[in-house]
C-alpha cells in the first residue's frame, strides 16, 4: 500500500501543484497500520477531461430537483460528484405538503471540516443552487474560500436561484449578498431572466438588454454568463456570453428554444449541471457547450412529456417530474438540434 501511494505521488507530482497538498499521497511510517491510510482520490490521480465536483443543493426523496436533478447527469458525463444536501425534503415544495430537514450553516461547516480532516477537500468544481438563508449563503462563501486555498484553479458554477416570473421565493436580503459577494467570485453564472434583472438592476425586455446584462455581470466577476431563459415577444431564448480576457469584448450568442406545452420542475438545476459538464469539456467554446446542454435538456423534457401522455395523464394539469433514468443516452450523447447564433 505504501509503495503504491509513493508511486502515485511521484507520477503525478509534476502534473499539478495542487496535488502536493494531498498529504495522503506521502509515504508514511511503516510502523503505522496501513489499513488506516486514506486511499488516493482516483478522480484526481488519473488523467481525465472531467473532474471532481462538490454540489451544494437541495435534496428530495421523491422527484428530481436540486442535487437529485444535477448529480446523476454529471456522473453520466464522467464526473465524480460529492453532494451536500442543503435541505432534505420528502418531495419538492410544489406539492400540497412536504416534510423534512434544513441544514444550517454550522452543520455545513462541520461537513467541510470532516472532509478537510481526511484530506478530501481537493475539488475541481463547486456547484451551488437553491440556498434559502443569508447565514447559509455566507457559509458557502467561506467554503469557496477554503476550496480555493487548496485548489486555486477551482471553477465555481453558481445558479443564483432567487425567483422567476417577477416573483422572489427567497428573502429579499439574499439578493444583495448574491450581487455584492457571490457574483464577484463566481466563474460561471446561470441566472434566469428575472434573476439577471435582480443582479444587475436592468430591465430585460429585448435581446440587446440581455446582452447588456451579461456584460454588466462580466464586469462584476464571472467570465462565463448564461441567462438560461429569456421570454421576449413570445419567444424563449438562451443568451450566453464568454469574456475570455478582461480587456476583451465577450463572445455572445443566443439559442432559440421551442416551448414545450407543460410545466416541469428541476429544469434549471439540470440545465446548470449540463452547462458545467459540457463547458468543462469545451472550455473555450461556451456556445458549443450550451448547444449540447440545451439539446440534452429538450430531449429529457420531450421524453418526460411522452411518458406522461403514454401513462394517460394530461401534461398540462400539473407540474411534471422529469425522467432522468430513462434519458441516459440523451444526456451522455445528445444530438445537437439547437444551434447557437453568434452576435456580431
Amino acid at each position: 500500500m505504501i509503495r503504491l501511494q509513493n508511486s502515485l505521488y511521484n507520477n503525478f507530482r509534476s502534473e499539478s501543484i495542487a496535488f502536493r497538498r494531498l498529504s495522503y499521497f506521502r509515504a508514511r511510517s511503516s510502523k503505522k497500520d496501513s489499513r488506516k491510510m486514506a486511499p488516493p482520490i482516483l478522480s484526481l490521480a488519473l488523467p481525465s477531461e472531467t473532474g471532481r465536483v462538490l454540489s451544494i443543493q437541495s435534496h428530495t426523496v421523491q422527484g428530481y430537483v436540486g442535487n437529485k436533478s444535477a448529480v446523476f447527469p454529471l456522473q453520466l458525463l464522467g464526473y465524480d460528484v460529492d453532494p451536500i444536501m442543503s435541505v432534505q425534503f420528502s418531495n419538492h415544495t410544489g406539492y400540497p405538503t412536504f416534510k423534512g430537514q434544513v441544514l444550517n450553516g454550522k452543520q455545513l461547516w462541520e461537513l467541510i471540516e470532516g472532509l478537510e480532516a481526511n484530506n478530501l477537500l481537493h475539488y475541481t468544481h463547486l456547484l451551488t443552487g437553491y440556498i434559502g438563508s443569508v447565514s447559509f449563503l455566507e457559509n458557502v462563501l467561506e467554503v469557496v474560500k477554503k476550496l480555493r486555498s487548496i485548489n486555486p484553479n477551482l471553477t465555481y458554477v453558481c445558479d443564483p436561484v432567487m425567483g422567476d416570473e417577477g416573483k422572489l421565493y427567497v428573502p429579499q436580503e439574499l439578493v444583495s449578498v448574491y450581487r455584492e459577494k457571490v457574483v464577484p467570485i463566481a466563474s460561471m453564472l446561470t441566472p434566469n431572466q428575472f434573476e439577471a434583472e435582480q443582479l444587475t438592476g436592468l430591465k430585460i425586455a429585448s435581446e440587446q438588454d440581455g446582452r447588456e446584462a451579461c456584460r454588466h455581470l462580466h464586469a462584476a466577476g464571472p467570465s462565463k454568463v448564461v441567462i438560461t431563459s429569456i421570454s421576449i415577444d413570445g419567444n424563449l431564448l438562451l443568451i450566453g456570453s464568454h469574456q475570455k480576457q478582461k480587456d476583451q469584448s465577450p463572445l455572445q450568442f443566443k439559442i432559440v428554444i421551442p416551448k414545450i406545452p407543460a410545466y416541469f420542475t428541476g429544469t434549471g438545476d439540470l440545465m446548470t449541471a449540463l452547462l458545467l459538464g459540457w463547458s468543462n469539456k469545451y472550455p473555450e467554446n461556451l456556445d458549443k457547450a450550451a448547444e449540447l446542454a440545451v439539446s440534452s435538456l429538450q430531449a429529457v423534457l420531450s421524453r418526460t412529456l411522452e411518458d406522461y401522455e403514454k401513462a394517460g395523464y394530461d401534461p398540462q394539469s400539473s407540474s411534471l417530474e422529469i425522467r432522468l433514468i430513462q434519458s441516459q443516452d440523451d444526456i451522455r450523447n445528445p444530438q445537437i438540434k439547437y444551434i447557437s447564433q453568434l452576435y456580431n
Side-chain angles (χ1 to χ4, degrees):
M1 178 71 77
I2 293 174
R3 290 178 181 175
L4 172 62
Q5 290 197 322
N6 274 331
S7 175
L8 283 172
Y9 176 72
N10 291 331
N11 287 341
F12 294 100
R13 184 177 181 182
S14 61
E15 295 293 324
S16 171
I17 294 176
F19 290 168
R20 296 175 189 172
R21 299 179 182 271
L22 305 179
S23 61
Y24 47 75
F25 282 140
R26 297 172 183 164
R28 303 203 181 173
S29 170
S30 60
K31 295 181 181 180
K32 292 186 177 181
D33 186 349
S34 63
R35 290 174 296 178
K36 294 181 180 179
M37 295 168 62
I41 301 174
L42 294 181
S43 58
L44 293 176
L46 297 176
S48 171
E49 63 175 2
T50 57
R52 184 166 180 250
V53 182
L54 179 64
S55 180
I56 304 175
Q57 298 194 61
S58 60
H59 171 80
T60 58
V61 176
Q62 194 279 332
Y64 292 96
V65 299
N67 270 328
K68 283 284 290 290
S69 188
V71 173
F72 179 63
L74 282 169
Q75 289 173 330
L76 289 178
L77 292 176
Y79 294 82
D80 280 276
V81 189
D82 294 345
I84 291 180
M85 315 309 185
S86 57
V87 304
Q88 177 166 255
F89 290 156
S90 55
N91 44 267
H92 69 72
T93 57
Y95 282 85
T97 186
F98 64 93
K99 299 286 186 178
Q101 302 80 39
V102 177
L103 195 73
N104 61 41
K106 180 176 182 294
Q107 292 166 329
L108 168 63
W109 195 251
E110 286 175 350
L111 295 174
I112 297 300
E113 288 179 328
L115 291 168
E116 184 178 28
N118 291 292
N119 297 302
L120 298 174
L121 266 191
H122 191 291
Y123 289 95
T124 58
H125 296 77
L126 172 66
L127 171 62
T128 61
Y130 174 78
I131 293 169
S133 71
V134 170
S135 61
F136 194 91
L137 186 53
E138 293 281 3
N139 275 274
V140 168
L141 293 169
E142 292 302 311
V143 172
V144 177
K145 186 184 300 183
K146 172 66 72 174
L147 296 183
R148 283 190 169 148
S149 73
I150 296 170
N151 176 16
N153 296 318
L154 175 87
T155 297
Y156 175 26
V157 178
C158 173
D159 182 4
V161 181
M162 296 183 291
D164 200 3
E165 298 179 348
K167 182 180 179 181
L168 281 174
Y169 40 68
V170 298
Q172 177 68 46
E173 53 265 31
L174 256 75
V175 176
S176 60
V177 178
Y178 270 112
R179 184 191 301 125
E180 298 168 11
K181 297 182 179 181
V182 178
V183 171
I185 64 172
S187 309
M188 179 191 290
L189 205 65
T190 62
N192 60 30
Q193 180 176 358
F194 174 70
E195 291 158 351
E197 291 175 338
Q198 293 295 308
L199 292 174
T200 62
L202 304 175
K203 180 65 177 176
I204 300 175
S206 67
E207 291 182 40
Q208 184 58 41
D209 292 341
R211 297 175 64 189
E212 180 58 32
C214 289
R215 286 190 285 266
H216 188 98
L217 292 168
H218 284 314
S223 62
K224 295 179 180 179
V225 177
V226 178
I227 305 179
T228 55
S229 59
I230 297 181
S231 182
I232 297 174
D233 299 327
N235 298 314
L236 185 64
L237 305 175
L238 173 150
I239 291 182
S241 189
H242 186 187
Q243 187 177 40
K244 298 182 181 182
Q245 299 291 336
K246 277 295 182 184
D247 58 346
Q248 294 180 353
S249 297
L251 175 72
Q252 297 187 315
F253 60 91
K254 70 176 180 180
I255 298 177
V256 179
I257 306 173
K259 292 183 178 180
I260 296 177
Y263 180 80
F264 305 88
T265 57
T267 54
D269 306 319
L270 174 57
M271 183 63 182
T272 296
L274 292 170
L275 283 168
L276 184 161
W278 288 115
S279 65
N280 191 58
K281 293 173 183 285
Y282 296 95
E284 298 302 315
N285 299 96
L286 183 60
D287 52 331
K288 171 76 169 180
E291 289 177 349
L292 288 159
V294 171
S295 296
S296 183
L297 175 64
Q298 291 295 99
V300 172
L301 299 186
S302 296
R303 183 183 297 274
T304 298
L305 186 64
E306 291 171 2
D307 286 352
Y308 271 93
E309 290 174 338
K310 287 178 183 177
Y313 290 93
D314 178 3
Q316 298 188 48
S317 63
S318 61
S319 62
L320 309 182
E321 300 281 9
I322 55 179
R323 302 273 279 171
L324 281 185
I325 303 297
Q326 296 76 12
S327 307
Q328 295 180 60
D329 290 341
D330 298 320
I331 294 169
R332 281 198 189 100
N333 300 296
Q335 301 300 309
I336 296 182
K337 297 181 180 180
Y338 303 94
I339 307 301
S340 60
Q341 302 170 43
L342 295 177
Y343 290 108
N344 293 327

